[in-house]
Amino acid sequence: MQMLLKSIHHVAIICSDYEKSKRFYTEVLGLEAIGEHYREERQSYKLDLAIHEHYQIELFSFPDPPERKSYPEAAV
């Protein structure tokens, strides 16, 4: 079977424990934090993590993330 996917620009991940998740992605996996923003109106952080020069993970935190297992923005 031929692979149809050629690249991915970014992946969004929602977390409930921002500090623990930030430590995991930066210290355990070694990804580079390239931007960090606190969004007061949502009580939420957004952390951009570099994977080489072409891809990134957007790590979002929410105090009580929704459990929507069938939607792309679901928390795991």
Short mmCIF file of all heavy atoms in Angstrom, two decimals, residues 16-51:
data_model
loop_
_atom_site.label_atom_id
_atom_site.label_comp_id
_atom_site.label_asym_id
_atom_site.label_seq_id
_atom_site.Cartn_x
_atom_site.Cartn_y
_atom_site.Cartn_z
N SER A 16 -4.07 18.32 30.91
CA SER A 16 -4.67 18.92 32.10
C SER A 16 -3.61 19.33 33.11
O SER A 16 -3.86 20.19 33.94
CB SER A 16 -5.66 17.96 32.74
OG SER A 16 -5.03 16.74 33.06
N ASP A 17 -2.41 18.75 33.04
CA ASP A 17 -1.31 19.11 33.94
C ASP A 17 -0.20 19.72 33.10
O ASP A 17 0.66 19.01 32.57
CB ASP A 17 -0.82 17.87 34.70
CG ASP A 17 0.20 18.20 35.77
OD1 ASP A 17 0.98 19.18 35.61
OD2 ASP A 17 0.25 17.46 36.77
N TYR A 18 -0.23 21.03 32.98
CA TYR A 18 0.69 21.73 32.07
C TYR A 18 2.16 21.52 32.44
O TYR A 18 2.99 21.20 31.58
CB TYR A 18 0.36 23.22 32.00
CG TYR A 18 1.29 23.98 31.11
CD1 TYR A 18 1.22 23.83 29.73
CD2 TYR A 18 2.25 24.84 31.64
CE1 TYR A 18 2.09 24.51 28.89
CE2 TYR A 18 3.12 25.53 30.80
CZ TYR A 18 3.03 25.36 29.44
OH TYR A 18 3.89 26.03 28.63
N GLU A 19 2.51 21.73 33.70
CA GLU A 19 3.92 21.63 34.10
C GLU A 19 4.47 20.22 33.88
O GLU A 19 5.59 20.05 33.41
CB GLU A 19 4.10 22.07 35.55
CG GLU A 19 3.87 23.55 35.77
CD GLU A 19 4.78 24.44 34.92
OE1 GLU A 19 5.95 24.10 34.69
OE2 GLU A 19 4.30 25.50 34.47
N LYS A 20 3.69 19.21 34.21
CA LYS A 20 4.11 17.82 34.02
C LYS A 20 4.29 17.52 32.53
O LYS A 20 5.27 16.91 32.11
CB LYS A 20 3.08 16.88 34.63
CG LYS A 20 3.45 15.43 34.56
CD LYS A 20 2.39 14.59 35.28
CE LYS A 20 2.72 13.12 35.25
NZ LYS A 20 1.70 12.32 35.95
N SER A 21 3.33 17.98 31.72
CA SER A 21 3.41 17.75 30.27
C SER A 21 4.57 18.52 29.65
O SER A 21 5.28 17.99 28.79
CB SER A 21 2.09 18.16 29.61
OG SER A 21 1.04 17.36 30.10
N LYS A 22 4.76 19.76 30.08
CA LYS A 22 5.88 20.57 29.56
C LYS A 22 7.21 19.89 29.86
O LYS A 22 8.08 19.78 28.99
CB LYS A 22 5.84 21.96 30.19
CG LYS A 22 6.95 22.87 29.74
CD LYS A 22 6.84 24.23 30.43
CE LYS A 22 8.01 25.12 30.08
NZ LYS A 22 7.90 26.44 30.73
N ARG A 23 7.37 19.40 31.10
CA ARG A 23 8.60 18.69 31.48
C ARG A 23 8.81 17.45 30.62
O ARG A 23 9.92 17.17 30.17
CB ARG A 23 8.54 18.29 32.96
CG ARG A 23 9.51 19.00 33.84
CD ARG A 23 9.57 18.50 35.27
NE ARG A 23 8.39 17.89 35.83
CZ ARG A 23 7.38 18.55 36.38
NH1 ARG A 23 7.40 19.86 36.45
NH2 ARG A 23 6.35 17.90 36.88
N PHE A 24 7.74 16.69 30.39
CA PHE A 24 7.85 15.48 29.58
C PHE A 24 8.34 15.80 28.17
O PHE A 24 9.28 15.18 27.68
CB PHE A 24 6.50 14.75 29.51
CG PHE A 24 6.50 13.58 28.57
CD1 PHE A 24 7.14 12.40 28.92
CD2 PHE A 24 5.90 13.67 27.33
CE1 PHE A 24 7.16 11.32 28.04
CE2 PHE A 24 5.91 12.60 26.45
CZ PHE A 24 6.55 11.42 26.81
N TYR A 25 7.70 16.75 27.51
CA TYR A 25 8.06 17.04 26.12
C TYR A 25 9.43 17.72 25.99
O TYR A 25 10.14 17.48 25.01
CB TYR A 25 6.98 17.88 25.45
CG TYR A 25 5.76 17.05 25.12
CD1 TYR A 25 4.64 17.08 25.95
CD2 TYR A 25 5.73 16.20 24.03
CE1 TYR A 25 3.53 16.29 25.67
CE2 TYR A 25 4.64 15.41 23.75
CZ TYR A 25 3.54 15.46 24.57
OH TYR A 25 2.45 14.67 24.29
N THR A 26 9.80 18.55 26.96
CA THR A 26 11.08 19.25 26.83
C THR A 26 12.24 18.48 27.45
O THR A 26 13.31 18.40 26.85
CB THR A 26 11.01 20.66 27.47
OG1 THR A 26 10.64 20.55 28.84
CG2 THR A 26 10.03 21.55 26.73
N GLU A 27 12.05 17.89 28.63
CA GLU A 27 13.16 17.23 29.32
C GLU A 27 13.29 15.75 28.98
O GLU A 27 14.40 15.25 28.83
CB GLU A 27 13.02 17.41 30.83
CG GLU A 27 13.13 18.88 31.24
CD GLU A 27 12.91 19.10 32.73
OE1 GLU A 27 13.02 18.12 33.51
OE2 GLU A 27 12.61 20.25 33.10
N VAL A 28 12.18 15.04 28.85
CA VAL A 28 12.24 13.61 28.54
C VAL A 28 12.43 13.38 27.04
O VAL A 28 13.34 12.68 26.62
CB VAL A 28 10.99 12.87 29.05
CG1 VAL A 28 11.00 11.40 28.64
CG2 VAL A 28 10.88 13.00 30.57
N LEU A 29 11.58 14.02 26.23
CA LEU A 29 11.69 13.84 24.77
C LEU A 29 12.71 14.77 24.13
O LEU A 29 13.14 14.54 23.02
CB LEU A 29 10.32 14.04 24.11
CG LEU A 29 9.24 13.01 24.47
CD1 LEU A 29 7.97 13.30 23.68
CD2 LEU A 29 9.72 11.59 24.20
N GLY A 30 13.07 15.85 24.83
CA GLY A 30 14.10 16.76 24.32
C GLY A 30 13.64 17.71 23.24
O GLY A 30 14.46 18.25 22.49
N LEU A 31 12.33 17.98 23.14
CA LEU A 31 11.84 18.93 22.14
C LEU A 31 12.15 20.35 22.59
O LEU A 31 12.18 20.65 23.78
CB LEU A 31 10.34 18.76 21.93
CG LEU A 31 9.88 17.38 21.47
CD1 LEU A 31 8.38 17.38 21.26
CD2 LEU A 31 10.59 16.94 20.21
N GLU A 32 12.36 21.22 21.63
CA GLU A 32 12.69 22.62 21.92
C GLU A 32 11.43 23.46 22.01
O GLU A 32 10.61 23.48 21.08
CB GLU A 32 13.59 23.17 20.81
CG GLU A 32 13.93 24.62 20.98
CD GLU A 32 14.65 25.21 19.79
OE1 GLU A 32 14.90 24.49 18.81
OE2 GLU A 32 14.94 26.42 19.83
N ALA A 33 11.26 24.18 23.12
CA ALA A 33 10.15 25.11 23.26
C ALA A 33 10.46 26.35 22.43
O ALA A 33 11.48 27.01 22.64
CB ALA A 33 9.94 25.48 24.72
N ILE A 34 9.59 26.66 21.47
CA ILE A 34 9.84 27.81 20.58
C ILE A 34 8.84 28.94 20.82
O ILE A 34 8.96 30.00 20.22
CB ILE A 34 9.84 27.40 19.10
CG1 ILE A 34 8.55 26.69 18.72
CG2 ILE A 34 11.04 26.52 18.80
CD1 ILE A 34 8.42 26.36 17.25
N GLY A 35 7.87 28.72 21.69
CA GLY A 35 6.91 29.77 22.03
C GLY A 35 6.02 29.29 23.16
O GLY A 35 5.61 28.15 23.18
N GLU A 36 5.75 30.20 24.09
CA GLU A 36 4.88 29.86 25.22
C GLU A 36 3.99 31.05 25.49
O GLU A 36 4.48 32.18 25.63
CB GLU A 36 5.72 29.51 26.45
CG GLU A 36 4.91 29.10 27.65
CD GLU A 36 5.79 28.66 28.81
OE1 GLU A 36 6.86 29.27 29.02
OE2 GLU A 36 5.40 27.71 29.49
N HIS A 37 2.68 30.82 25.54
CA HIS A 37 1.72 31.90 25.72
C HIS A 37 0.68 31.49 26.76
O HIS A 37 0.15 30.39 26.70
CB HIS A 37 0.99 32.21 24.40
CG HIS A 37 1.93 32.37 23.25
ND1 HIS A 37 2.64 33.53 23.03
CD2 HIS A 37 2.30 31.52 22.29
CE1 HIS A 37 3.39 33.37 21.97
NE2 HIS A 37 3.21 32.16 21.50
N TYR A 38 0.39 32.41 27.69
CA TYR A 38 -0.68 32.19 28.64
C TYR A 38 -1.90 32.95 28.16
O TYR A 38 -1.82 34.15 27.88
CB TYR A 38 -0.30 32.65 30.05
CG TYR A 38 -1.39 32.36 31.05
CD1 TYR A 38 -1.66 31.06 31.44
CD2 TYR A 38 -2.16 33.39 31.57
CE1 TYR A 38 -2.68 30.79 32.35
CE2 TYR A 38 -3.18 33.13 32.48
CZ TYR A 38 -3.43 31.83 32.86
OH TYR A 38 -4.44 31.56 33.75
N ARG A 39 -3.01 32.26 28.04
CA ARG A 39 -4.25 32.88 27.58
C ARG A 39 -5.19 33.03 28.78
O ARG A 39 -5.87 32.08 29.17
CB ARG A 39 -4.86 32.03 26.46
CG ARG A 39 -3.86 31.87 25.32
CD ARG A 39 -4.27 30.92 24.26
NE ARG A 39 -4.67 29.62 24.79
CZ ARG A 39 -5.27 28.68 24.07
NH1 ARG A 39 -5.51 28.89 22.81
NH2 ARG A 39 -5.60 27.53 24.60
N GLU A 40 -5.17 34.21 29.38
CA GLU A 40 -5.90 34.47 30.62
C GLU A 40 -7.38 34.16 30.51
O GLU A 40 -7.97 33.58 31.42
CB GLU A 40 -5.69 35.92 31.06
CG GLU A 40 -6.47 36.28 32.29
CD GLU A 40 -5.61 36.92 33.35
OE1 GLU A 40 -4.46 37.26 33.07
OE2 GLU A 40 -6.11 37.05 34.45
N GLU A 41 -8.01 34.55 29.40
CA GLU A 41 -9.45 34.35 29.25
C GLU A 41 -9.84 32.87 29.29
O GLU A 41 -10.96 32.53 29.63
CB GLU A 41 -9.97 35.01 27.96
CG GLU A 41 -9.53 34.34 26.67
CD GLU A 41 -8.11 34.67 26.21
OE1 GLU A 41 -7.41 35.44 26.87
OE2 GLU A 41 -7.70 34.12 25.16
N ARG A 42 -8.90 31.99 28.97
CA ARG A 42 -9.17 30.55 29.00
C ARG A 42 -8.47 29.86 30.17
O ARG A 42 -8.58 28.65 30.31
CB ARG A 42 -8.69 29.90 27.71
CG ARG A 42 -9.45 30.34 26.51
CD ARG A 42 -8.94 29.61 25.30
NE ARG A 42 -9.75 29.88 24.15
CZ ARG A 42 -9.70 29.20 23.03
NH1 ARG A 42 -8.86 28.20 22.91
NH2 ARG A 42 -10.47 29.50 22.03
N GLN A 43 -7.69 30.60 30.94
CA GLN A 43 -6.85 30.04 32.00
C GLN A 43 -6.05 28.88 31.43
O GLN A 43 -6.01 27.78 31.96
CB GLN A 43 -7.69 29.58 33.18
CG GLN A 43 -8.45 30.69 33.84
CD GLN A 43 -9.32 30.20 34.97
OE1 GLN A 43 -9.68 29.03 35.04
NE2 GLN A 43 -9.66 31.09 35.86
N SER A 44 -5.38 29.16 30.31
CA SER A 44 -4.77 28.11 29.51
C SER A 44 -3.41 28.53 28.97
O SER A 44 -3.23 29.68 28.57
CB SER A 44 -5.70 27.80 28.33
OG SER A 44 -5.07 26.98 27.39
N TYR A 45 -2.48 27.60 28.95
CA TYR A 45 -1.20 27.80 28.29
C TYR A 45 -1.22 27.17 26.92
O TYR A 45 -1.92 26.18 26.68
CB TYR A 45 -0.06 27.15 29.08
CG TYR A 45 0.44 27.97 30.24
CD1 TYR A 45 -0.05 27.75 31.51
CD2 TYR A 45 1.39 28.95 30.03
CE1 TYR A 45 0.42 28.50 32.58
CE2 TYR A 45 1.85 29.71 31.10
CZ TYR A 45 1.36 29.48 32.37
OH TYR A 45 1.82 30.22 33.41
N LYS A 46 -0.42 27.73 26.02
CA LYS A 46 -0.15 27.13 24.72
C LYS A 46 1.36 27.12 24.57
O LYS A 46 2.01 28.16 24.64
CB LYS A 46 -0.77 27.92 23.58
CG LYS A 46 -0.44 27.35 22.21
CD LYS A 46 -1.06 28.21 21.12
CE LYS A 46 -0.72 27.69 19.75
NZ LYS A 46 0.56 28.18 19.25
N LEU A 47 1.92 25.94 24.40
CA LEU A 47 3.37 25.78 24.25
C LEU A 47 3.65 25.21 22.87
O LEU A 47 3.09 24.17 22.50
CB LEU A 47 3.90 24.82 25.33
CG LEU A 47 5.40 24.55 25.31
CD1 LEU A 47 6.20 25.82 25.63
CD2 LEU A 47 5.75 23.45 26.31
N ASP A 48 4.48 25.88 22.09
CA ASP A 48 4.89 25.40 20.77
C ASP A 48 6.23 24.71 20.92
O ASP A 48 7.19 25.28 21.44
CB ASP A 48 5.00 26.56 19.78
CG ASP A 48 3.67 27.24 19.55
OD1 ASP A 48 2.68 26.54 19.39
OD2 ASP A 48 3.63 28.48 19.54
N LEU A 49 6.30 23.47 20.45
CA LEU A 49 7.50 22.64 20.57
C LEU A 49 7.99 22.26 19.18
O LEU A 49 7.22 21.78 18.35
CB LEU A 49 7.18 21.37 21.36
CG LEU A 49 6.69 21.63 22.79
CD1 LEU A 49 5.79 20.51 23.26
CD2 LEU A 49 7.88 21.79 23.70
N ALA A 50 9.28 22.47 18.93
CA ALA A 50 9.86 22.17 17.62
C ALA A 50 10.27 20.71 17.51
O ALA A 50 10.83 20.14 18.44
CB ALA A 50 11.07 23.05 17.37
N ILE A 51 9.97 20.13 16.35
CA ILE A 51 10.47 18.81 15.98
C ILE A 51 11.23 19.04 14.68
O ILE A 51 10.63 19.20 13.62
CB ILE A 51 9.33 17.81 15.75
CG1 ILE A 51 8.44 17.70 16.98
CG2 ILE A 51 9.89 16.45 15.36
CD1 ILE A 51 7.21 16.86 16.77
#
